[in-house]
Structure formats: C-alpha cells, structure tokens
C-alpha cells in the first residue's frame, strides 16, 4: 500500500497540495484523475521522491519515502514522470536496459538481459530496438520509457500520463499489460490518466483531484458518476454504461 | 564496451603513440641528445596532462549539465581559478606568492577551487539543469564577473605583481610551469581514474534527473562529486597553461562523434586521447613546422569558437 498522510506542498509561496491523506491500495490498479493543474503530477512526484517532501509523510510498501535510501526505493517502486526528454544519444535497447540498473548497479547479469528482452518484447519494440531515441516517433519513445520502468520489475509502478502520444491500439495494449501485472503478478500500479474512459474500463480504484485536494475516491462505479465528474471538471458530463462499467460522455 | 568502441580507443591510442614518438625524435640532432630529449619529454608530459584534463573535464561537465554546448570554461570555472590566483597575489604579495613552494601552493589552490566550484555550480545544477539559456547566461555573467574582479585587482597591484597576474590569465602552450608537472600529473590521473570508476553512475546521470532518481541514483551526491572532479581538472589545466575556453568543446564533440555511444567508460578515455592527439599534434605542427608563425592556443580557440557558433546555430542546445 502507498500511504499518504497530511501531505502539503508549496512551490514559490503557492500552496499546491492541501493536507492530502489518502492511500493507493496494494494489488490494485489506481487511476488518478482531475483537471489540468489539479496537482496529480505533484502528488505522484512526491510519492516517487522526485521532489523533496515538505510536509506530511508517505510510505510505499512500508518504506518511509523521506528516510529510505533512494537505491532501496528503486527496487520497490518505479516512477515515470510526465516529461521524459533524454539528453544523451541512446539506442532504445540501451534505454530499456537502464531499467535494470537498480538491481545490478552497472554489472548486468544474464537474468537482467532476459528481463530487458522481455520488456522490449512486451512493448512491441523489437523492430526499433537499435534505433536512436531521437530517431523514433514520440509514441515509440514513450513506449521505450514505459518499457524501462517495466524492466525495473518493482512491486509498485507509478506512471504519469503514460498514454500520452500513444495511439488507441497501443494505449489499449498498455492498459491490458498493466492489468496483467496486477492480476497475474500481484503488482500494484498507480497512474495519471486524462482520458476518463481508460480509468472506467481498466482501473480498480479511482482518486479524483481538484485544486490540490482530493474530491472523491473509490471504485470506478462510485467515483465516475455524473455528479462527481461534472463538479470535478466544471462541465456537464453524462455517464452511461458499457459492458457493466461506466462510460463517460462529454458530448451532449 | 562494444567492439566498435574498443577498436576506436585502440586506434586513438596508436595515433597518440605515433605522434608522441614523432614529437620526441623528429629532427633530433647529434649533439646534446639527452638534454633535448628531457626537454621534449617534459613538454610532452605537460601537453598530455593539460589535454586529458581539459577533455575529461568537459565531458564530465556536459554530462552533469545535460547539454553539449556548455563547457567548464564557458561557465567560468577557469576565470574563477585566475581570480583565486590574483587574490593570492594581492593577499600575500608577489614575494609571498612566489615564495610558496609550488607543490603545497598548488594543493591549496586546487582545494579552494574545488570547494568554491562545488558550492557555486552545485547549487546551480543540483536541481537538474533544464533551463539551458539561463545556465549559459549565468555562466557568462560569472565568467565576466570573475575576470573583471581579477583585472580590477590587477590594476591596484604594482607593475611587477601585475605581470604575474597577466601571466596566469592568458593561455599559452609554450609556457608550461614544469615545477607543477608532477603534482598536476598525479592529480589528473587520480581524477580521471575516479571518473572512469564512476562511469556506470555517470551513464545513469546522463539520463536526466528524473530517470536517475527513479533508478535510485544518489543524484545530488554524484553531481557534487563530479563537479569536484571537474574543478580539480580545470585547476590543473589552468595552472599549467592558463585558461582555454573552447578547446574542450571541440574535444567533447569529437569524442561523442567518434564513439557514437553514450557510455562514459568509453567516452572518458576517448576524450582524453583525442585531446592529447590534438594538442601534441598541433603543438608539433606549430613549433617545428610552422616555426611559431602562429600560436596554437589562438588557432585552437578560433576553431573552437566557430564550432560553438555552429552548435548554437544548429540549435543543438541540448
Ligand atoms: N515549478 C512550478 N512553479 C510554480 N507552480 C507550479 C510548478 N509546477 C507546478 N506548478 C503548479 O502546481 C499545480 C499542480 O501542478 P501539477 O503538475 O501537479 O498538475 P497536474 O494535475 O499534473 O496537471 P496536468 O494534468 O496538466 O498534468 C498547478 O497549478 C501548476 O501551475
Ligand atoms: Mg501532470
């Protein structure tokens, strides 16, 4: 479980997060939703210790994020931020291979190579693996980054808008892959999504944020209702049903 | 390292060995062999030390800054060193300055320089250098600031002391302080070995702050450590030949181009070798063939300056 208690965060005098207490359940796929600027990325970055903690406490699978050595945390959780530009000139396969670094610190073993090959396979990158990162499309580069986090092979996987740049088929394939991680391998996943229907179709748990606060949390059926969503996005939103899950419609 | 990288390093090493032999034995007359050989050997050692220091420092700095346009000297590292020297002369007087024996004095220089650079540039870079234009601007401003303070102090000094300041503020590959060479050589070797040992970590650092932290790298500590190495290497090169602004840029560009691989285990030796080849080859050409008609440092700076403009114009600011 990821336990967040009384989390506050300020950037340059502005309060970005207000006293947030919540949790990401273990063994579930949790979707973080909310309008632009709600604080989703900030929350995820604090959990992933990409930003130093200012106020409150976060534990990931029992490890206090503020106190656990960062190298140990890297074997417990992988986090992929929203911005993923890489300055150095790398081949796709080299990037994915870095995902194993927390486990071997620069001396890859055979099992590390296997895991990398699996990750490359899982994200349909075999044909592209020898290309340089600046020679592939945005979506392909995004998939390589996700594959790197995937290769890290951690109990927790945190992804900030992983569906960015992905076409419908690859977005679906990614969600199916994450579902599989949760259902068959007992992993836990947290991700930020903007396209609500991906949360509706694939998530077990939804956390809705607005203005640095949590507005609602619970199962997709509880959170993805007309009342909550209209309030969350300040826009009329209707919710139908499809295959016994909510289907969110914004046109009408 | 892959086969291609190993092969490339071997070719570079051979080239350097060939040039060094040429440097040592070309046009060696019958008389006074021992004396000339030892003169040449000292100079060769100095050139190689300086070259390796500048090349490796630049590669390291570019990794920390996540950018291929910046070099330690563009960011004002060597101006800081010159300022420190000037301050020492001001504080101790020329006699005191000259009176300090070379080894300990240089040790103090390097220590102070390293501490200053880590504090100054560490705060600038520890959060992950994303805002490149701001970085360049800060560096240029720092450089100008350090230089003008040095010059101001120089003006207050009497002419003799001023001459000493002048000597440390301009690059010359002809004037090498031989007394410093042993210490400088050892320091360079230590720093380069440390850098090579750190190279797997540096590879991760090069992914950028977010990925590096996510992979469990102690980002801040590594940035600071690497900056300390850079400061050591810049101190060495500046102490031996004075500030050299753009040479490192050419070297780092060539090293990345030659290796086609971002692994530091290959990049660091490649940068050292390429830098040494350029300096030894260049100095040989200018000293023995062109008969000092032009100065290597000027040509190197000119070419490097053009390369810098080329990078800027091509929009390769990343
Ligand atoms: N470096 C910064 N300086 C000032 N304000 C910032 C900074 N980074 C984020 N913010 C502010 O913090 C708030 C939360 O940002 P955050 O990136 O967490 O939002 P988000 O929910 O991820 O939005 P999006 O859906 O657009 O990614 C926003 O109002 C944003 O303007
Ligand atoms: Mg965001």
């Amino acid at each position: 479980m990821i336990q967040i208690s009384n989390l506050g965060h300020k950037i340059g005098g502005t309060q970005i997060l207000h006293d947030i207490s919540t949790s990401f359940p273990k063994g579930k796929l949790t979707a973080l939703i909310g309008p632009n600027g709600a604080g989703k990325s900030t929350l995820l970055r604090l959990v992933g210790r990409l930003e130093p903690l200012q106020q409150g406490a976060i534990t990931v699978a029992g490890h206090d994020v503020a106190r656990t050595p960062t190298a140990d945390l890297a074997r417990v959780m992988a986090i992929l931020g929203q911005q993923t530009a890489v300055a150095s000139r790398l081949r796709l396969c080299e990037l994915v291979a870095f995902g194993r670094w927390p486990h071997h610190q620069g001396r890859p073993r055979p099992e590390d190579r296997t895991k990398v090959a699996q990750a490359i396979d899982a994200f349909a990158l075999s044909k592209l693996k020898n290309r340089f990162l600046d020679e592939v499309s945005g979506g392909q580069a995004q998939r390589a980054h996700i594959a790197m986090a995937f290769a890290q092979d951690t109990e927790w996987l945190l992804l900030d808008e992983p569906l960015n740049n992905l076409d419908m088929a690859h977005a679906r394939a990614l969600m199916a892959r994450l579902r599989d991680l949760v259902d068959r391998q007992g992993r836990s996943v947290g991700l930020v999504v903007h396209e609500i229907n991906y949360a509706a179709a694939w998530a077990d748990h939804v956390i809705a944020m607005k203005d640095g606060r949590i507005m609602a949390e619970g199962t997709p059926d509880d959170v993805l209702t007309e009342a909550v969503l209209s309030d969350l996005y300040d826009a009329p939103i209707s919710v139908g049903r499809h295959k016994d899950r909510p289907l969110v419609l914004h046109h009408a | 390292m892959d086969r291609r990288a190993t092969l490339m390093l071997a070719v570079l090493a051979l080239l350097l060995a060939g040039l060094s032999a040429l440097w040592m034995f070309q046009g060696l007359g019958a008389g006074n062999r021992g004396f000339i050989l030892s003169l040449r050997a000292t100079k060769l050692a100095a050139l190689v030390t300086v070259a390796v220091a500048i090349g490796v420092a630049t590669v390291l700095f570019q990794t920390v800054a996540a950018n291929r346009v910046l070099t330690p000297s563009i960011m004002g590292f060597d101006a800081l060193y010159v300022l420190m020297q000037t301050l020492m002369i001001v504080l101790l007087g020329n006699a005191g300055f000259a009176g300090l024996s070379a080894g300990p004095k240089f040790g103090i220089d390097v220590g102070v320089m390293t501490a200053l650079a880590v504090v100054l540039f560490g705060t600038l870079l520890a959060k992950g250098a994303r805002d490149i234009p701001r970085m360049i601007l800060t560096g240029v401003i720092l450089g100008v600031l350090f230089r003008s303070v040095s010059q101001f102090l120089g003006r207050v000094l009497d002419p003799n002391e001023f001459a000493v300041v002048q000597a440390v503020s301009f690059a010359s590959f002809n004037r090498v302080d031989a007394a410093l060479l042993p210490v400088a050589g050892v320091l360079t070797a230590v720093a380069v070995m440390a850098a090579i040992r750190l190279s797997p970590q540096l590879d991760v650092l090069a992914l950028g702050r977010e990925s590096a932290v996510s992979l469990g790298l102690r980002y801040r500590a590594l940035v600071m450590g690497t900056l300390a190495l850079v400061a050591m290497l810049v101190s060495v090169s500046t102490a031996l030949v004075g500030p050299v602004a753009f040479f490192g840029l050419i070297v780092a560009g060539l090293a990345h181009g030659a290796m086609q691989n971002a692994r530091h285990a290959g990049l660091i030796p490649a940068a050292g070798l390429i830098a040494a080849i350029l300096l030894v080859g260049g100095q040989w050409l200018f000293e023995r063939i062109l008969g000092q008609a032009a100065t290597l440092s000027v040509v190197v700076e000119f070419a490097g300056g053009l390369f810098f403009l080329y990078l800027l114009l091509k929009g390769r600011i990343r």
Side-chain angles (χ1 to χ4, degrees):
Chain A
M1 190 164 78
I2 292 179
Q3 186 74 50
I4 298 166
S5 22
N6 306 106
L7 186 70
H9 196 74
K10 268 190 193 167
I11 301 179
T14 327
Q15 194 79 32
I16 307 280
L17 298 180
H18 304 267
D19 195 30
I20 289 185
S21 295
T22 183
S23 59
F24 289 42
K26 180 182 159 69
K28 296 256 162 79
L29 201 164
T30 301
L32 209 51
I33 62 168
N36 288 139
K40 308 178 294 293
S41 297
T42 310
L43 179 64
L44 212 65
R45 293 169 60 82
L46 285 165
V47 173
R49 45 94 171 81
L50 298 181
E51 303 289 344
L53 216 53
Q54 295 174 354
Q55 191 190 36
I58 300 175
T59 59
V60 177
H63 303 272
D64 183 341
V65 168
R67 272 193 235 119
T68 313
T70 180
D72 295 348
L73 286 174
R75 289 186 290 267
V76 178
M77 70 174 157
I79 176 164
L80 182 65
Q82 199 170 354
Q83 257 94 37
T84 46
V86 171
S88 57
R89 201 168 144 78
L90 286 179
R91 291 177 198 281
L92 252 60
C93 55
E94 293 175 308
L95 180 76
V96 177
F98 276 113
R100 298 301 301 163
W101 200 79
H103 303 277
H104 62 62
Q105 310 283 328
R107 278 175 298 277
R109 303 150 299 175
E111 64 194 90
D112 295 312
R113 295 182 218 283
T114 320
K115 290 257 156 80
V116 171
Q118 282 169 358
I120 287 176
D121 235 28
F123 291 90
L125 295 167
S126 312
K127 285 208 187 92
L128 302 168
K129 68 178 182 190
N130 286 321
R131 294 243 216 121
F132 284 104
L133 263 180
D134 50 7
E135 294 167 350
V136 297
S137 77
Q140 290 164 343
Q142 173 78 0
R143 265 154 54 207
H145 277 97
I146 300 169
M148 170 170 86
F150 184 82
Q152 209 171 326
D153 198 21
T154 48
E155 185 181 337
W156 277 93
L157 185 57
L158 303 173
L159 306 167
D160 195 349
E161 299 193 30
L163 302 178
N164 259 358
N165 303 321
L166 296 192
D167 65 39
M168 211 191 292
H170 281 114
R172 195 198 133 84
L174 171 63
M175 293 311 289
R177 175 78 44 205
L178 295 178
R179 216 35 278 169
D180 181 75
L181 274 182
V182 170
D183 293 338
R184 305 240 309 268
Q185 301 186 37
R187 306 294 173 77
S188 316
V189 176
L191 78 167
V192 177
V193 272
H194 273 301
E195 179 53 70
I196 302 288
N197 282 318
Y198 283 97
W202 302 94
D204 302 306
H205 189 78
V206 178
I207 301 178
M209 287 184 72
K210 185 181 185 180
D211 297 332
R213 293 188 173 83
I214 298 209
M215 271 198 54
E217 53 189 317
T219 62
D221 282 328
D222 292 340
V223 177
L224 305 179
T225 63
E226 290 184 359
V228 172
L229 291 179
S230 303
D231 201 13
L232 189 65
Y233 291 99
D234 290 320
I237 287 168
S238 48
V239 178
R241 286 196 85 73
H242 177 69
K243 294 196 173 166
D244 206 28
R245 287 198 157 247
L247 177 68
V248 181
L249 301 164
H250 49 80
H251 33 70
Chain B
M1 238 184 294
D2 53 12
R3 283 243 313 279
R4 191 185 171 286
T6 320
L7 196 69
M8 179 59 77
L9 287 181
V11 169
L12 290 174
L14 271 178
L15 201 58
L16 178 59
L19 275 173
S20 306
L22 192 65
W23 171 271
M24 288 300 289
F25 302 113
Q26 182 256 337
L28 198 59
N32 245 344
R33 282 177 158 248
F35 177 68
I36 293 180
L37 276 179
S38 95
L39 263 188
R40 286 185 175 184
T42 311
K43 184 111 187 229
L44 179 66
L47 286 175
V48 171
T49 306
V50 167
V52 170
I54 295 178
V56 174
T58 310
V59 165
L60 292 180
F61 187 77
Q62 291 190 344
T63 294
V64 173
N67 152 325
R68 295 280 179 76
V69 177
L70 296 180
T71 69
S73 39
I74 293 174
M75 294 301 293
F77 267 72
D78 43 14
L80 179 62
Y81 186 82
V82 171
L83 173 59
M84 225 179 57
Q85 293 281 298
T86 315
L87 274 177
M88 293 258 260
I89 299 175
V90 171
L91 292 179
L92 302 176
N94 201 1
F97 185 73
L100 286 175
S101 63
K105 176 178 154 298
F106 187 52
I108 297 172
D109 284 358
V110 173
V112 175
M113 166 79 181
T114 305
L116 278 178
V118 167
V119 171
L120 214 62
F121 296 100
T123 40
L124 206 60
L125 288 166
K127 289 200 168 161
R130 276 282 144 239
D131 193 353
I132 300 305
R134 203 184 81 176
M135 286 279 296
I136 296 185
L137 202 61
T138 316
V140 170
I141 290 172
L142 284 178
V144 170
L145 179 75
F146 297 152
R147 269 182 277 270
S148 35
V149 174
S150 301
Q151 268 171 17
F152 170 75
L153 289 174
R155 265 163 234 257
V156 196
L157 296 171
D158 72 62
N160 278 333
E161 290 177 335
F162 186 60
V164 180
V165 172
Q166 286 281 308
V168 291
S169 5
F170 292 99
S172 164
F173 296 113
N174 297 318
R175 166 193 62 78
V176 171
D177 198 340
L180 288 182
L181 200 52
V183 199
V186 169
L187 269 179
T188 307
V190 168
V192 171
M193 258 153 22
I196 289 177
R197 268 193 75 104
L198 284 177
S199 53
Q201 271 103 310
L202 290 168
D203 293 341
V204 178
L205 185 77
L207 294 176
R209 180 177 172 274
E210 294 206 349
S211 302
V213 171
S214 170
L215 291 172
L217 191 77
R218 290 174 58 219
Y219 185 84
R220 226 187 129 76
L222 188 60
V223 165
M224 298 295 182
T226 311
L227 283 175
L229 293 180
V230 171
M232 267 171 77
L233 291 168
V234 172
S235 308
V236 166
S237 76
T238 315
L240 287 180
V241 298
V244 186
F246 292 117
F247 178 55
L249 195 67
I250 304 183
V251 173
L254 287 175
H256 280 282
M259 297 308 282
Q260 286 295 316
N261 182 321
R263 300 271 151 173
H264 285 78
L267 271 180
I268 291 170
L273 288 169
I274 289 173
I277 288 169
L278 288 181
L279 268 202
V280 174
Q283 188 65 21
W284 175 78
L285 192 71
F286 279 87
E287 207 175 295
R288 312 266 176 88
I289 307 297
L290 304 179
Q292 305 282 20
T295 328
L296 176 62
S297 58
V298 174
V299 175
V300 162
E301 294 297 73
F302 184 65
L306 285 182
F307 185 55
F308 181 61
L309 282 180
Y310 164 80
L311 287 178
L312 284 181
L313 291 177
K314 259 190 78 182
R316 281 268 196 83
I317 315 192
R318 259 220 305 139

mmCIF file of all heavy atoms in Angstrom, chain A residues 138-165:
data_model
loop_
_atom_site.group_PDB
_atom_site.id
_atom_site.type_symbol
_atom_site.label_atom_id
_atom_site.label_comp_id
_atom_site.label_asym_id
_atom_site.label_seq_id
_atom_site.Cartn_x
_atom_site.Cartn_y
_atom_site.Cartn_z
ATOM 1 N N GLY A 138 7.275 10.090 -31.211
ATOM 2 C CA GLY A 138 7.012 10.407 -29.813
ATOM 3 C C GLY A 138 6.397 9.232 -29.059
ATOM 4 O O GLY A 138 6.789 8.936 -27.934
ATOM 5 N N GLY A 139 5.456 8.563 -29.693
ATOM 6 C CA GLY A 139 4.800 7.435 -29.047
ATOM 7 C C GLY A 139 5.747 6.261 -28.855
ATOM 8 O O GLY A 139 5.699 5.573 -27.827
ATOM 9 N N GLN A 140 6.629 6.072 -29.830
ATOM 10 C CA GLN A 140 7.592 4.973 -29.707
ATOM 11 C C GLN A 140 8.581 5.257 -28.577
ATOM 12 O O GLN A 140 8.915 4.353 -27.794
ATOM 13 C CB GLN A 140 8.323 4.783 -31.044
ATOM 14 C CG GLN A 140 7.389 4.212 -32.108
ATOM 15 C CD GLN A 140 7.923 4.365 -33.526
ATOM 16 O OE1 GLN A 140 8.829 5.159 -33.788
ATOM 17 N NE2 GLN A 140 7.351 3.609 -34.446
ATOM 18 N N ALA A 141 9.018 6.515 -28.476
ATOM 19 C CA ALA A 141 9.923 6.879 -27.384
ATOM 20 C C ALA A 141 9.218 6.701 -26.037
ATOM 21 O O ALA A 141 9.802 6.192 -25.069
ATOM 22 C CB ALA A 141 10.390 8.320 -27.543
ATOM 23 N N GLN A 142 7.946 7.089 -25.994
ATOM 24 C CA GLN A 142 7.160 6.938 -24.768
ATOM 25 C C GLN A 142 7.080 5.464 -24.364
ATOM 26 O O GLN A 142 7.247 5.116 -23.198
ATOM 27 C CB GLN A 142 5.754 7.517 -25.011
ATOM 28 C CG GLN A 142 4.755 7.295 -23.907
ATOM 29 C CD GLN A 142 4.966 8.245 -22.741
ATOM 30 O OE1 GLN A 142 5.869 9.070 -22.751
ATOM 31 N NE2 GLN A 142 4.137 8.116 -21.737
ATOM 32 N N ARG A 143 6.870 4.613 -25.342
ATOM 33 C CA ARG A 143 6.801 3.167 -25.050
ATOM 34 C C ARG A 143 8.139 2.657 -24.531
ATOM 35 O O ARG A 143 8.189 1.811 -23.634
ATOM 36 C CB ARG A 143 6.396 2.397 -26.307
ATOM 37 C CG ARG A 143 4.898 2.153 -26.351
ATOM 38 C CD ARG A 143 4.385 1.984 -27.748
ATOM 39 N NE ARG A 143 5.067 0.967 -28.516
ATOM 40 C CZ ARG A 143 5.166 0.977 -29.852
ATOM 41 N NH1 ARG A 143 4.622 1.961 -30.544
ATOM 42 N NH2 ARG A 143 5.781 0.008 -30.472
ATOM 43 N N ALA A 144 9.229 3.187 -25.084
ATOM 44 C CA ALA A 144 10.544 2.765 -24.597
ATOM 45 C C ALA A 144 10.721 3.166 -23.132
ATOM 46 O O ALA A 144 11.251 2.389 -22.329
ATOM 47 C CB ALA A 144 11.647 3.377 -25.452
ATOM 48 N N HIS A 145 10.260 4.360 -22.784
ATOM 49 C CA HIS A 145 10.365 4.788 -21.385
ATOM 50 C C HIS A 145 9.523 3.909 -20.472
ATOM 51 O O HIS A 145 9.938 3.563 -19.369
ATOM 52 C CB HIS A 145 9.954 6.253 -21.242
ATOM 53 C CG HIS A 145 11.064 7.203 -21.560
ATOM 54 N ND1 HIS A 145 11.200 7.796 -22.784
ATOM 55 C CD2 HIS A 145 12.110 7.635 -20.810
ATOM 56 C CE1 HIS A 145 12.280 8.560 -22.775
ATOM 57 N NE2 HIS A 145 12.848 8.482 -21.593
ATOM 58 N N ILE A 146 8.330 3.582 -20.926
ATOM 59 C CA ILE A 146 7.491 2.706 -20.111
ATOM 60 C C ILE A 146 8.152 1.332 -19.973
ATOM 61 O O ILE A 146 8.169 0.747 -18.891
ATOM 62 C CB ILE A 146 6.085 2.572 -20.723
ATOM 63 C CG1 ILE A 146 5.412 3.945 -20.807
ATOM 64 C CG2 ILE A 146 5.223 1.630 -19.883
ATOM 65 C CD1 ILE A 146 4.144 3.957 -21.626
ATOM 66 N N ALA A 147 8.742 0.870 -21.064
ATOM 67 C CA ALA A 147 9.420 -0.428 -21.016
ATOM 68 C C ALA A 147 10.567 -0.396 -20.011
ATOM 69 O O ALA A 147 10.805 -1.371 -19.304
ATOM 70 C CB ALA A 147 9.938 -0.801 -22.401
ATOM 71 N N MET A 148 11.250 0.741 -19.915
ATOM 72 C CA MET A 148 12.332 0.865 -18.938
ATOM 73 C C MET A 148 11.779 0.721 -17.517
ATOM 74 O O MET A 148 12.328 -0.032 -16.700
ATOM 75 C CB MET A 148 13.039 2.208 -19.096
ATOM 76 C CG MET A 148 14.009 2.510 -17.980
ATOM 77 S SD MET A 148 15.054 3.942 -18.278
ATOM 78 C CE MET A 148 14.026 5.253 -17.694
ATOM 79 N N ALA A 149 10.686 1.429 -17.233
ATOM 80 C CA ALA A 149 10.087 1.335 -15.896
ATOM 81 C C ALA A 149 9.604 -0.095 -15.632
ATOM 82 O O ALA A 149 9.726 -0.616 -14.525
ATOM 83 C CB ALA A 149 8.934 2.320 -15.771
ATOM 84 N N PHE A 150 9.084 -0.717 -16.680
ATOM 85 C CA PHE A 150 8.579 -2.083 -16.598
ATOM 86 C C PHE A 150 9.723 -3.054 -16.274
ATOM 87 O O PHE A 150 9.596 -3.942 -15.433
ATOM 88 C CB PHE A 150 7.943 -2.410 -17.949
ATOM 89 C CG PHE A 150 7.284 -3.739 -18.051
ATOM 90 C CD1 PHE A 150 5.994 -3.921 -17.573
ATOM 91 C CD2 PHE A 150 7.935 -4.798 -18.655
ATOM 92 C CE1 PHE A 150 5.380 -5.157 -17.693
ATOM 93 C CE2 PHE A 150 7.323 -6.031 -18.767
ATOM 94 C CZ PHE A 150 6.037 -6.204 -18.290
ATOM 95 N N ALA A 151 10.873 -2.826 -16.935
ATOM 96 C CA ALA A 151 12.029 -3.703 -16.722
ATOM 97 C C ALA A 151 12.572 -3.577 -15.304
ATOM 98 O O ALA A 151 13.237 -4.473 -14.803
ATOM 99 C CB ALA A 151 13.133 -3.366 -17.728
ATOM 100 N N GLN A 152 12.258 -2.481 -14.665
ATOM 101 C CA GLN A 152 12.730 -2.275 -13.293
ATOM 102 C C GLN A 152 12.101 -3.307 -12.368
ATOM 103 O O GLN A 152 12.628 -3.583 -11.302
ATOM 104 C CB GLN A 152 12.401 -0.844 -12.852
ATOM 105 C CG GLN A 152 13.344 -0.262 -11.824
ATOM 106 C CD GLN A 152 13.088 1.227 -11.606
ATOM 107 O OE1 GLN A 152 12.728 1.951 -12.528
ATOM 108 N NE2 GLN A 152 13.262 1.691 -10.377
ATOM 109 N N ASP A 153 10.958 -3.840 -12.779
ATOM 110 C CA ASP A 153 10.412 -5.032 -12.155
ATOM 111 C C ASP A 153 10.169 -4.837 -10.661
ATOM 112 O O ASP A 153 10.656 -5.606 -9.830
ATOM 113 C CB ASP A 153 11.413 -6.182 -12.377
ATOM 114 C CG ASP A 153 10.759 -7.540 -12.157
ATOM 115 O OD1 ASP A 153 9.531 -7.608 -12.233
ATOM 116 O OD2 ASP A 153 11.495 -8.518 -11.895
ATOM 117 N N THR A 154 9.423 -3.793 -10.317
ATOM 118 C CA THR A 154 9.218 -3.444 -8.917
ATOM 119 C C THR A 154 7.783 -3.772 -8.498
ATOM 120 O O THR A 154 6.898 -3.937 -9.337
ATOM 121 C CB THR A 154 9.432 -1.932 -8.721
ATOM 122 O OG1 THR A 154 8.710 -1.237 -9.732
ATOM 123 C CG2 THR A 154 10.884 -1.572 -8.805
ATOM 124 N N GLU A 155 7.595 -3.827 -7.174
ATOM 125 C CA GLU A 155 6.276 -4.102 -6.637
ATOM 126 C C GLU A 155 5.296 -3.003 -7.046
ATOM 127 O O GLU A 155 4.144 -3.272 -7.360
ATOM 128 C CB GLU A 155 6.404 -4.171 -5.117
ATOM 129 C CG GLU A 155 5.144 -4.562 -4.411
ATOM 130 C CD GLU A 155 5.344 -4.591 -2.899
ATOM 131 O OE1 GLU A 155 6.511 -4.734 -2.451
ATOM 132 O OE2 GLU A 155 4.339 -4.480 -2.184
ATOM 133 N N TRP A 156 5.775 -1.754 -7.047
ATOM 134 C CA TRP A 156 4.941 -0.618 -7.417
ATOM 135 C C TRP A 156 5.416 0.012 -8.713
ATOM 136 O O TRP A 156 6.617 0.195 -8.921
ATOM 137 C CB TRP A 156 4.971 0.449 -6.320
ATOM 138 C CG TRP A 156 4.005 0.156 -5.231
ATOM 139 C CD1 TRP A 156 4.271 -0.519 -4.085
ATOM 140 C CD2 TRP A 156 2.620 0.501 -5.205
ATOM 141 N NE1 TRP A 156 3.124 -0.627 -3.336
ATOM 142 C CE2 TRP A 156 2.100 -0.007 -3.996
ATOM 143 C CE3 TRP A 156 1.770 1.175 -6.072
ATOM 144 C CZ2 TRP A 156 0.759 0.143 -3.638
ATOM 145 C CZ3 TRP A 156 0.443 1.342 -5.733
ATOM 146 C CH2 TRP A 156 -0.045 0.820 -4.514
ATOM 147 N N LEU A 157 4.444 0.354 -9.554
ATOM 148 C CA LEU A 157 4.762 1.037 -10.799
ATOM 149 C C LEU A 157 3.912 2.301 -10.854
ATOM 150 O O LEU A 157 2.685 2.236 -10.757
ATOM 151 C CB LEU A 157 4.428 0.109 -11.975
ATOM 152 C CG LEU A 157 4.788 0.583 -13.376
ATOM 153 C CD1 LEU A 157 6.273 0.887 -13.487
ATOM 154 C CD2 LEU A 157 4.418 -0.483 -14.398
ATOM 155 N N LEU A 158 4.563 3.464 -10.941
ATOM 156 C CA LEU A 158 3.845 4.736 -10.968
ATOM 157 C C LEU A 158 4.098 5.428 -12.301
ATOM 158 O O LEU A 158 5.246 5.638 -12.690
ATOM 159 C CB LEU A 158 4.335 5.645 -9.836
ATOM 160 C CG LEU A 158 4.220 5.066 -8.422
ATOM 161 C CD1 LEU A 158 4.882 5.984 -7.415
ATOM 162 C CD2 LEU A 158 2.764 4.847 -8.052
ATOM 163 N N LEU A 159 3.041 5.765 -12.999
ATOM 164 C CA LEU A 159 3.195 6.337 -14.337
ATOM 165 C C LEU A 159 2.390 7.625 -14.447
ATOM 166 O O LEU A 159 1.198 7.644 -14.146
ATOM 167 C CB LEU A 159 2.704 5.338 -15.391
ATOM 168 C CG LEU A 159 3.321 3.941 -15.357
ATOM 169 C CD1 LEU A 159 2.537 2.987 -16.234
ATOM 170 C CD2 LEU A 159 4.765 3.996 -15.805
ATOM 171 N N ASP A 160 3.050 8.697 -14.880
ATOM 172 C CA ASP A 160 2.344 9.962 -15.058
ATOM 173 C C ASP A 160 1.964 10.118 -16.530
ATOM 174 O O ASP A 160 2.830 10.314 -17.380
ATOM 175 C CB ASP A 160 3.237 11.129 -14.610
ATOM 176 C CG ASP A 160 2.439 12.415 -14.433
ATOM 177 O OD1 ASP A 160 1.266 12.452 -14.847
ATOM 178 O OD2 ASP A 160 3.000 13.375 -13.870
ATOM 179 N N GLU A 161 0.699 10.020 -16.804
ATOM 180 C CA GLU A 161 0.170 10.114 -18.163
ATOM 181 C C GLU A 161 0.919 9.240 -19.167
ATOM 182 O O GLU A 161 1.454 9.726 -20.163
ATOM 183 C CB GLU A 161 0.177 11.585 -18.622
ATOM 184 C CG GLU A 161 -0.699 12.439 -17.721
ATOM 185 C CD GLU A 161 -0.972 13.820 -18.312
ATOM 186 O OE1 GLU A 161 -1.011 13.936 -19.547
ATOM 187 O OE2 GLU A 161 -1.170 14.753 -17.524
ATOM 188 N N PRO A 162 0.930 7.943 -18.920
ATOM 189 C CA PRO A 162 1.667 7.054 -19.829
ATOM 190 C C PRO A 162 0.985 6.933 -21.194
ATOM 191 O O PRO A 162 1.608 6.495 -22.144
ATOM 192 C CB PRO A 162 1.639 5.706 -19.099
ATOM 193 C CG PRO A 162 0.413 5.768 -18.259
ATOM 194 C CD PRO A 162 0.274 7.197 -17.836
ATOM 195 N N LEU A 163 -0.268 7.328 -21.245
ATOM 196 C CA LEU A 163 -0.984 7.169 -22.512
ATOM 197 C C LEU A 163 -0.702 8.308 -23.486
ATOM 198 O O LEU A 163 -1.110 8.247 -24.641
ATOM 199 C CB LEU A 163 -2.499 7.082 -22.261
ATOM 200 C CG LEU A 163 -2.914 5.949 -21.332
ATOM 201 C CD1 LEU A 163 -4.409 5.968 -21.091
ATOM 202 C CD2 LEU A 163 -2.507 4.600 -21.908
ATOM 203 N N ASN A 164 0.020 9.322 -22.978
ATOM 204 C CA ASN A 164 0.432 10.435 -23.847
ATOM 205 C C ASN A 164 1.037 9.897 -25.123
ATOM 206 O O ASN A 164 1.903 9.047 -25.087
ATOM 207 C CB ASN A 164 1.540 11.232 -23.153
ATOM 208 C CG ASN A 164 0.999 12.486 -22.539
ATOM 209 O OD1 ASN A 164 -0.185 12.743 -22.674
ATOM 210 N ND2 ASN A 164 1.847 13.238 -21.878
ATOM 211 N N ASN A 165 0.665 10.428 -26.246
ATOM 212 C CA ASN A 165 1.289 10.078 -27.522
ATOM 213 C C ASN A 165 0.980 8.672 -28.020
ATOM 214 O O ASN A 165 1.463 8.287 -29.066
ATOM 215 C CB ASN A 165 2.821 10.187 -27.489
ATOM 216 C CG ASN A 165 3.299 11.562 -27.102
ATOM 217 O OD1 ASN A 165 2.686 12.534 -27.529
ATOM 218 N ND2 ASN A 165 4.338 11.650 -26.325
#
